[in-house]
Structures are given as structure tokens and as C-alpha cells.
């Protein structure tokens, strides 16, 4: 079976004037359908650069990247846009929802750019479905500033899922969230992964990375560790533990 | 993305910042309103002049006496009377296609009826003058060829003069004194209104030109002759023939300036409208400049908006918007700004020209084509001044746009 992601000696070099920054210096990475990968590493190690390429937001300086068997090195800007629209769902650290725009309209956004066009009625129905999947079926009319951080990230996840992508990419999805909501978001990721969604996520926290099945660690633009997660965390279990801990100090009822 | 979705998106974005939207539109609103009202004033003036030219009569050529410098034609006519009765007879008899010709002899005269006095323009004309000018009688009769030949003391009175002298009473059959000579009023003219110089054409008394020459003006020459052709198609020929005839009769050498001037209605109307046209073009271009300024305002705000919404653009690009989609979104926003502003401006302009027409006491005409042009040019301004900001938005790099603070 074709892997979803196949990077062959992927390099990315940024040129700012005279200075060349080697953000990624040769990465070979294959991710098969149904995997849940956590990418870790120190700041500046090239994680975001790697994710941007995987997400077809950028092209490799050298090496090849095959997304679902398609070499994106040869594609034009608009072809990449179509590919992102159809195959990839993005979840960002800062949620990046459109302000003063309702949750359901935010979720509808990727369908606006879908070709061929989706009828308006189907758009509304699918947005509601996606919101229900992340537990926000009742909050479709709320705007981002009426929602908590965790709820905003759920809306962002619903937006990422609405076009039924093959790959879910998340760059520090829990970066702005407290530990409880982080676990809840990881719970959603694990649930999606169980249903077959391939997920690649960048995180700084080992606790968060432990919800994934596989861990890739980068240093100075190279992969230094690539291994299965031993003793993978289960969201429900972690939540129960957190509840117990919080009850002990009267933080939770 | 379909166009309809782009429009909806644009309108929603504009509604989100209502105050800014209105302020940005203001430039276009004022520009379009200015253009519409200026052009409507110009149109009104032109309509008015055309209507007045039409009151001169149909297919009329005016022969003016005197040495009038070319191009310096004044509506006051030349003073030196060089046209004579033999000239008139010759035009009538020798020029083909002429159906009528009437001289005009003017004399500002003191009128009296009972104890009522008036100082009125008395015009000496021939019997076909009323036909030439298509000026019907309200009551009574025209004077006749006999009256002209015999220099009879008969007169036809205009409505304004009649009111001055007779109030609501009947004028026909009464005798008035013109420069102390008694004239019998045989007819009463229908009202004609103001002429293009704004003077009252109904403040007039018509008498046979022979009587005017003999009793009122003195001398033997006319200041002008109105000639009517049978058909508009004959006008150039008639004009040419009169020119030939009079040059010959007045013994004007080839290449010399004649002592008369021939004007067709079209020429008179062109002269009369050219001033107002120049003014309209001038004011119109000033108004047009304000439209462009409005366009620059739109461009300015769109550039600010693109910068403000860089992250939004980044998100849209990341989730699959094509370059064209972003381009369309911002272009439609600019077009919506200018077109909505334009429509409001058209409404405001129509209202303003209505008010102006009241204030100035002259008509204004908001023509359909000036509305179309205003609408089209505001749409064009949206496209032209929205293009650059939209291009800037569409060319953003998704990664950089997402990282934008
Ligand atoms: N557009 C760019 N132009 C120049 N250099 C860049 C650009 N983007 C990234 N870099 C550089 O590439 C290197 C890798 O950056 P990257 O953002 O991938 O790191 P990261 O692992 O995501 O870091 P963090 O954990 O802080 O997000 C850094 O040294 C960074 O300065
Ligand atoms: Mg990063």
C-alpha cells in the first residue's frame, strides 16, 4: 500500500540575503495510513519546516516529497492549494479561526474552496456533523470569542475534518491549552486515529507526545530518534487520573 | 469558488466594519453625486436652450444686418441696418425653397392706454411672421399684406403687455397709443414664455414693418430677416442662395466680408449651448477628480484591510483557497464599496439636482445615460483601485501569512 507521507532525503534551506539557514538537512520519513506520529525537538530544530512541507504549504529545496503517492515537487501553487483542500486538515497552535464569524461558518470555510462546489445545504449539514463529532453540535452559532480555548481548538479540528482529509496535521495543537483541555484534545485525536485518520502532530511536551503511537525526534534539521511510543497514554485514563488529583486538592468538584 | 460566494463574502466583510465602510464610500458618494448634479444642470440648460431655439420656428434661417465680426456674433444683432425692403422681396422671389420671409424692425416705444403706460419692445414684421415663428394667436386676427403695403396703424399684442395695459380686460378692438400714434389692436398672441437670454417674449407688440419704419423707428432698413424654408433638407441650399443673392445685391467682392450674417437655427443653438457645455465639462472634470480621490480612498482602506487580515488570508490559503479565490474576494470587496457608494451617490445627486433646480429656477435633467456612466465608472474605479490590494492579498505566501502578527 502507498504510504500517506514519503519524504526522501528532504532538505530545506532558507536564504536571507547572504546567510543560508539549513532548516532541514536531509530527512527520510515514511508514514503509513492509520499512524499517529508525534514530532518533537528543540526550538529551531526544523519541526515546523517539516510540517509545512508535509502540509504542502511549501516545497522541498531538494529531495522528494510524495503525498499519497503524488510528487508535489512538480506542482503549481494552485495545484498545491487543491491538494491541501482535499487531502489535508490543519490544526494550528493559535487556532486561527476567523473572528466575528460563527463556529459553523468557520467550519464551512474549507468547503467554500472545494472543487467541484458543494451545495450550500450540504455545506451546512456537513459543518454540523463535524461540530457534533468534536462535541460542539450545539455551539454552531457562537463566535470564537464566545468560546473557551479548548472549544476553539475543537472548532478548528472540526474545520480540519470537514473535507474528509486523508491526513490531519497539527503544529503544537495544545500549545495554548491547560493540561485538562490538552488531554481532551488528545482524546479527540486518539478517537479519530482509531477510526483510521492518519495524524502527524508537533509538540514540545513529552506528556502530549505520549498520546501518539510513534515518536520522531529532530535535532538540527535531522531526525535523531524514530520509534514506537512505549506505554502509550490513553486519554480517558489520563482524564480520570487528573480528576482524582484535582479532587484531592478541591480543584474539581 | 463561485462568484456568488465571493460577493456574499465581500458584503459580510463590509458589514463587519460598517463605520469604516461608510466613511470609505463617502468619497465615491460625493464624487458621483457631484458628477450627476453637474451634468444634470448642464443637461437642463441644454434642454432649455433647445426648447427656446425651437420657438424661433421651424427651418428658419436668420439673416442679420451689419458688419459682424466672424465668431463674435452677439445676440443683440448688429446696429447698422444694411438689409432693405428690396432685399426682402428678392429673397422671397428669387431664392428657391423659401416659403416665407419677415423682416424685423425694433423700436423701444412708450405705450399708453387710458391712464396705463408701458415701455415695450415694438417689432415691425411682415404678415407671415407668425407662421414663420409658429406663433399662434389667442384671439383676433393677424394683420394682412394690405396692412403692410399701406402701413396701417394696426397691432398685435403679447400676453404680458396686454396684462400691463388692460389687466383682465379684452384687448382686441381697443386703440392704444404707440409713441402717440393710435394703433388698433387686431389680435392677441398666445403666450410663448422666456427666450434663451431669459427675457420675456410675451412683452411685445407686433406691427407691420412698414408702419414701424414710418412711425416708430425711422429709416428704411431692417436689423434682421427671418426666412423659412419649406423643408429642413433645403436649408443649406437656401442659406447658400441667400448668401449669393445678397452679396450680388450689396456688391460685395469675392473674398471680402459681407455686410450681413446668415445663421441657421442649428448654428444659433450651437453657439448658445457651447458656453454651457464648456462649463459642464469643466465642472464635470472637477467632479471626476473627486471620484478618483474616492477611488484612492478605497485603495488605501483595502490595503489596510489586507494587512489587517493577513492571518485570515493565511488560513484561507492553507485550507485550499486558490490565488484567484483570494483575488476575487478582495476585488469584490472593493467593487462592492465603490458600486454601493456609486448607487448612493446617484440617489444623492438626483436629490441635489432636484434641490438646485428649485434654487436656481431652471430645470435640471438627470439623464439615464449619466446614471449608467456614473454606475459604470464607479464599478470601474472599484476594479482599478481594488486590483492592487487584491493582488497583494492573493500573492501572500501562506506560511508567512499564517505567522503574521
Ligand atoms: N522563512 C524563513 N526564513 C529564514 N529562516 C527560517 C524561515 N523559517 C524558518 N527558518 C529557520 O529555520 C530553522 C527551523 O525553523 P522551524 O520553524 O522549522 O523550527 P521549529 O522546530 O518549528 O521551532 P519551534 O519549536 O520554535 O517552533 C530556524 O533556525 C528558523 O530560524
Ligand atoms: Mg515551530
Amino acid at each position: 500500500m502507498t504510504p500517506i507521507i514519503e519524504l526522501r532525503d528532504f532538505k530545506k534551506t532558507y536564504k536571507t540575503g547572504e546567510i543560508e539557514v539549513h532548516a532541514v538537512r536531509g530527512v527520510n520519513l515514511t508514514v503509513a495510513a492509520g499512524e499517529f506520529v508525534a514530532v518533537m525537538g528543540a526550538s529551531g530544530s526544523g519541526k515546523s519546516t517539516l510540517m509545512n512541507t508535509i502540509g504542502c504549504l511549501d516545497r522541498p529545496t531538494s529531495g522528494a516529497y510524495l503525498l499519497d503517492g503524488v510528487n508535489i515537487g512538480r506542482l503549481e501553487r494552485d495545484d498545491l492549494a487543491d491538494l491541501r483542500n482535499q487531502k489535508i486538515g490543519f490544526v494550528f497552535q493559535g487556532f486561527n479561526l476567523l473572528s466575528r464569524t460563527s463556529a459553523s461558518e468557520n467550519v464551512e470555510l474549507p468547503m467554500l474552496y472545494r472543487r467541484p462546489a458543494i451545495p450550500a445545504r450540504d455545506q451546512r449539514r456537513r459543518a454540523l456533523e463535524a461540530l457534533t463529532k468534536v462535541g460542539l453540535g450545539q455551539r454552531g452559532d457562537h463566535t470564537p470569542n464566545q468560546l473557551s480555548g479548548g472549544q476553539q481548538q475543537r472548532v478548528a479540528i472540526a474545520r480540519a475534518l470537514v473535507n474528509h482529509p486523508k491526513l490531519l496535521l497539527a503544529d503544537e495543537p495544545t500549545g495554548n491549552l491547560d493540561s485538562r483541555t490538552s488531554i481532551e484534545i488528545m482524546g479527540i485525536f486518539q478517537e479519530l486515529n482509531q477510526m483510521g485518520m492518519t495524524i502527524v502532530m508537533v509538540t514540545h511536551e513529552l506528556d502530549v507526545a505520549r498520546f501518539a503511537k510513534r515518536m520522531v525526534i529532530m535535532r538540527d534539521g535531522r531526525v535523531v530518534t524514530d520509534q514506537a511510543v512505549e506505554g502509550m497514554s490513553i486519554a480517558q485514563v489520563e482524564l480520570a487520573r487528573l480528576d482524582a488529583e484535582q479532587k484531592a486538592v478541591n480543584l474539581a468538584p | 469558488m463561485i462568484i456568488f460566494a465571493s460577493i456574499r463574502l465581500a458584503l459580510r466583510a463590509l458589514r463587519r466594519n460598517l463605520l469604516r465602510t461608510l466613511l470609505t464610500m463617502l468619497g465615491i458618494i460625493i464624487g458621483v453625486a457631484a458628477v450627476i448634479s453637474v451634468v444634470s444642470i448642464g443637461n437642463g440648460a441644454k434642454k432649455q436652450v433647445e426648447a427656446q431655439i425651437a420657438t424661433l420656428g421651424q427651418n428658419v434661417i436668420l439673416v442679420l444686418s451689419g458688419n459682424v465680426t466672424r465668431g463674435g456674433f452677439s445676440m443683440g444683432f448688429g446696429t447698422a441696418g444694411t438689409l432693405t425692403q428690396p432685399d426682402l422681396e428678392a429673397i422671397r422671389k428669387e431664392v428657391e425653397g423659401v416659403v416665407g420671409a419677415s423682416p424685423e424692425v425694433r423700436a423701444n416705444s412708450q405705450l399708453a392706454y387710458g391712464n396705463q403706460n408701458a415701455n415695450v419692445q415694438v417689432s415691425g414684421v411682415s404678415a407671415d411672421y407668425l407662421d414663420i415663428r409658429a406663433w399662434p394667436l389667442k384671439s383676433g386676427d393677424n394683420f394682412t399684406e394690405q396692412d403692410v403695403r399701406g402701413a396701417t396703424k394696426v397691432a398685435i399684442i403679447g400676453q404680458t403687455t396686454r396684462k400691463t395695459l388692460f389687466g383682465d380686460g379684452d384687448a382686441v378692438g381697443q386703440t392704444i397709443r404707440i409713441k402717440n400714434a393710435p394703433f388698433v389692436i387686431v389680435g392677441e398672441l398666445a403666450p410663448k414664455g422666456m427666450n434663451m437670454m431669459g427675457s420675456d417674449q410675451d412683452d411685445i407688440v407686433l406691427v407691420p414693418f412698414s408702419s414701424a419704419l414710418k412711425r416708430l423707428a425711422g429709416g428704411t432698413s431692417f436689423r434682421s430677416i427671418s426666412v423659412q424654408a419649406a423643408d429642413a433638407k433645403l436649408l443649406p441650399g437656401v442659406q447658400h442662395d441667400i448668401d449669393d443673392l445678397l452679396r450680388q445685391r450689396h456688391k460685395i467682392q469675392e473674398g471680402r466680408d459681407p455686410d450681413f450674417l446668415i445663421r441657421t437655427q442649428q448654428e444659433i443653438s450651437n453657439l448658445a449651448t457651447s458656453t454651457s457645455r464648456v462649463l459642464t465639462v469643466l465642472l464635470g472634470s472637477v467632479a471626476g477628480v473627486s471620484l478618483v480621490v474616492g477611488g484612492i480612498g478605497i485603495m488605501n482602506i483595502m490595503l489596510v484591510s489586507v494587512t489587517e487580515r493577513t492571518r485570515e488570508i493565511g488560513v484561507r490559503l492553507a485550507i485550499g483557497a486558490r490565488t484567484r479565490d483570494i483575488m476575487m474576494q478582495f476585488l469584490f470587496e472593493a467593487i462592492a464599496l465603490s458600486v454601493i457608494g456609486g448607487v448612493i451617490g446617484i440617489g444623492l445627486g438626483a436629490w441635489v439636482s432636484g434641490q438646485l433646480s428649485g434654487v436656481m429656477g431652471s430645470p435640471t435633467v438627470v439623464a439615464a445615460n449619466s446614471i449608467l456612466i456614473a454606475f459604470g465608472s464607479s464599478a470601474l474605479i472599484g476594479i482599478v483601485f481594488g486590483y492592487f490590494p487584491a493582488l497583494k492579498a492573493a500573492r501572500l505566501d501562506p506560511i508567512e501569512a499564517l505567522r503574521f502578527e
Side-chain angles (χ1 to χ4, degrees):
Chain A
M1 223 179 93
T2 32
I4 299 287
I5 297 169
E6 192 179 353
L7 285 163
R8 294 186 204 138
D9 195 24
F10 158 56
K11 287 179 187 157
K12 184 78 196 178
T13 308
Y14 293 108
K15 271 203 192 98
T16 25
E18 293 293 294
I19 308 154
E20 284 193 354
V21 180
H22 299 280
V24 179
R25 301 161 184 264
V27 164
N28 288 293
L29 184 71
T30 306
V31 177
E35 284 203 80
F36 184 0
V37 183
V39 179
M40 295 195 72
S43 189
S45 57
K47 307 180 296 292
S48 293
T49 307
L50 180 74
M51 287 294 268
N52 288 340
T53 305
I54 293 175
C56 297
L57 289 164
D58 211 347
R59 275 171 295 210
T61 310
S62 76
Y65 170 41
L66 280 72
L67 171 69
D68 203 19
V70 179
N71 190 340
I72 69 146
R74 296 198 204 101
L75 298 181
E76 296 292 322
R77 185 181 158 104
D78 281 349
D79 297 326
L80 289 178
D82 288 353
L83 216 54
R84 291 195 294 269
N85 186 252
Q86 288 159 18
K87 299 206 168 164
I88 298 168
F90 288 97
V91 178
F92 307 95
Q93 175 178 10
F95 320 138
N96 277 335
L97 298 175
L98 302 195
S99 58
R100 285 186 278 180
T101 306
S102 73
S104 52
E105 278 175 326
N106 264 292
V107 176
E108 281 171 29
L109 214 55
M111 293 187 282
L112 197 63
Y113 302 112
R114 185 82 189 195
R115 279 159 238 264
I118 299 167
R121 200 166 353 105
D122 290 359
Q123 286 192 18
R124 239 162 286 136
R125 183 180 51 76
R126 277 170 64 171
L128 188 64
E129 272 172 22
L131 279 170
T132 310
K133 222 185 255 181
V134 297
L136 286 177
Q138 311 296 318
R139 313 294 291 266
D141 294 336
H142 291 225
T143 56
N145 59 356
Q146 296 169 325
L147 298 169
S148 72
Q151 288 167 333
Q152 288 186 49
Q153 194 60 302
R154 283 161 193 254
V155 174
I157 294 170
R159 182 178 66 189
L161 295 176
V162 79
N163 264 350
H164 309 308
K166 292 211 157 179
L167 176 63
L168 188 66
L169 296 180
D171 196 344
E172 300 188 45
T174 60
N176 289 358
L177 302 175
D178 66 14
S179 49
R180 166 174 289 275
T181 7
S182 296
I183 298 170
E184 283 171 0
I185 296 296
M186 285 306 108
I188 295 171
F189 275 26
Q190 286 189 326
E191 220 174 284
L192 289 167
N193 182 242
Q194 256 150 37
M195 291 189 292
M197 178 68 73
T198 313
I199 302 172
V200 177
M201 136 185 113
V202 168
T203 181
H204 274 116
E205 294 159 86
L206 198 57
D207 285 352
V208 173
R210 296 186 69 82
F211 288 94
K213 289 176 180 169
R214 177 181 165 189
M215 197 186 287
V216 169
I217 297 176
M218 294 188 69
R219 187 180 301 149
D220 286 336
R222 287 195 182 87
V223 173
V224 291
T225 307
D226 184 352
Q227 62 183 42
V229 174
E230 275 174 55
M232 196 177 94
S233 302
I234 308 294
Q236 283 101 320
V237 177
E238 294 303 314
L239 263 185
R241 203 212 323 261
L242 191 68
D243 275 345
E245 277 173 13
Q246 290 189 337
K247 245 178 216 149
V249 293
N250 285 330
L251 194 65
Chain B
M1 190 170 50
I2 45 174
I3 286 179
F4 179 71
S6 304
I7 293 171
R8 215 184 41 180
L9 216 58
L11 292 180
R12 199 180 297 163
L14 294 181
R15 222 177 22 226
R16 215 166 274 156
N17 246 322
L18 208 56
L19 183 63
R20 181 202 275 188
T21 300
L22 285 176
L23 288 174
T24 311
M25 279 178 185
L26 209 56
I28 294 289
I29 293 174
I30 291 170
V32 168
V35 170
I36 289 278
S37 36
V38 165
V39 172
S40 79
I41 293 167
N43 281 343
K46 192 166 156 244
K47 265 262 162 63
Q48 204 176 12
V49 167
E50 275 166 5
Q52 285 155 354
I53 298 292
T55 68
L56 288 178
Q58 279 221 304
N59 310 326
V60 173
I61 290 172
L62 216 53
V63 184
L64 304 167
S65 83
N67 240 328
V68 188
T69 41
R70 229 185 293 272
F73 165 54
S74 93
M75 292 308 285
F77 302 166
T79 39
T82 55
L83 300 169
T84 59
Q85 196 168 348
D87 288 339
L88 175 69
E89 303 301 335
I91 288 171
R92 275 203 178 131
K93 283 191 194 105
E94 290 171 36
V95 178
E96 219 167 302
V98 169
V99 290
S102 167
E104 191 165 7
V105 180
R106 289 195 185 181
N108 232 340
S109 312
Q110 191 70 26
L111 264 60
Y113 174 74
N115 55 3
Q116 300 295 322
N117 279 282
N119 200 4
V120 174
Q121 179 73 56
V122 176
S123 282
V125 296
S126 63
D128 40 12
Y129 182 75
L130 294 186
D131 285 340
I132 292 170
R133 292 206 57 190
W135 200 343
L137 285 165
K138 190 171 168 238
S139 60
D141 291 305
N142 195 358
F143 52 75
T144 61
E145 284 296 330
Q146 259 91 27
D147 291 326
V148 174
R149 245 174 276 134
T152 324
K153 286 178 278 182
V154 290
I156 302 171
I157 192 166
Q159 282 304 314
T160 305
T161 315
R162 183 192 65 77
K163 271 197 199 99
T164 316
L165 293 181
F166 299 95
D168 289 334
D170 211 2
V172 175
Q174 306 293 333
T175 303
I176 56 171
R177 302 187 79 82
I178 304 177
K179 283 195 174 167
N180 271 330
F183 279 72
V184 178
I185 295 174
V186 292
E188 206 178 283
L189 289 163
K192 202 156 182 122
M194 281 199 255
N195 73 1
M196 62 187 125
M197 308 317 294
S199 59
D200 184 1
Q201 298 184 87
D202 295 322
D203 199 9
I204 197 169
V205 170
L206 300 177
V207 298
F209 67 85
S210 46
S211 322
L213 288 175
K214 197 163 152 193
R215 325 241 169 221
L216 308 175
T220 52
S221 62
F222 313 134
R223 49 172 45 213
S224 72
I225 299 175
S226 302
V227 182
Q228 188 172 35
D231 194 282
K233 279 184 296 222
L234 300 175
L235 282 174
V238 170
Q239 185 180 5
H240 183 258
D241 290 353
I242 293 173
D243 191 54
D244 276 356
L245 179 73
L246 291 183
R247 273 175 185 276
Q248 191 190 331
R249 291 182 58 83
H250 293 194
K251 301 187 171 62
I252 312 280
Q253 278 166 359
E254 197 80 33
R256 281 286 185 81
D257 281 346
D259 58 356
F260 59 89
L261 186 72
I262 304 178
R263 284 274 180 251
T264 62
Q265 257 165 311
Q266 190 54 50
E267 286 168 328
I268 294 168
S269 123
N270 286 350
L271 278 167
T273 49
S274 65
T275 332
S276 77
R277 198 164 46 230
V278 166
L279 209 65
T280 303
V281 167
L282 209 71
L283 288 173
S285 3
V286 171
V289 167
S290 71
L291 254 184
V292 171
V293 172
I296 293 169
I298 286 181
M299 179 145 115
N300 187 21
I301 283 301
M302 289 308 297
L303 283 172
V304 169
S305 173
V306 167
T307 307
E308 268 179 6
R309 285 150 70 189
T310 302
R311 244 168 192 280
E312 173 192 330
I313 296 164
V315 172
R316 288 180 186 276
L317 288 169
I319 62 178
R322 289 186 185 178
T323 307
R324 223 183 77 115
D325 295 331
I326 301 295
M327 182 92 204
M328 284 294 152
Q329 180 188 343
F330 283 90
L331 200 54
F332 273 115
E333 223 174 287
I335 294 171
L337 266 176
S338 61
V339 164
I340 295 170
V343 169
I344 297 174
I346 289 168
L348 184 67
W351 181 79
V352 165
S353 43
Q355 297 302 108
L356 282 178
S357 128
V359 172
M360 303 190 313
S362 60
T364 54
V365 178
V366 181
N369 63 357
S370 57
I371 288 178
L372 278 177
I373 289 168
F375 188 83
S377 48
S378 54
L380 191 72
I381 276 173
I383 294 169
V384 168
F385 289 96
Y387 185 80
F388 177 64
L391 195 68
K392 195 183 158 199
R395 288 218 176 132
L396 282 175
D397 177 69
I399 298 169
E400 270 162 32
L402 277 169
R403 218 190 273 146
F404 186 83
E405 293 301 328

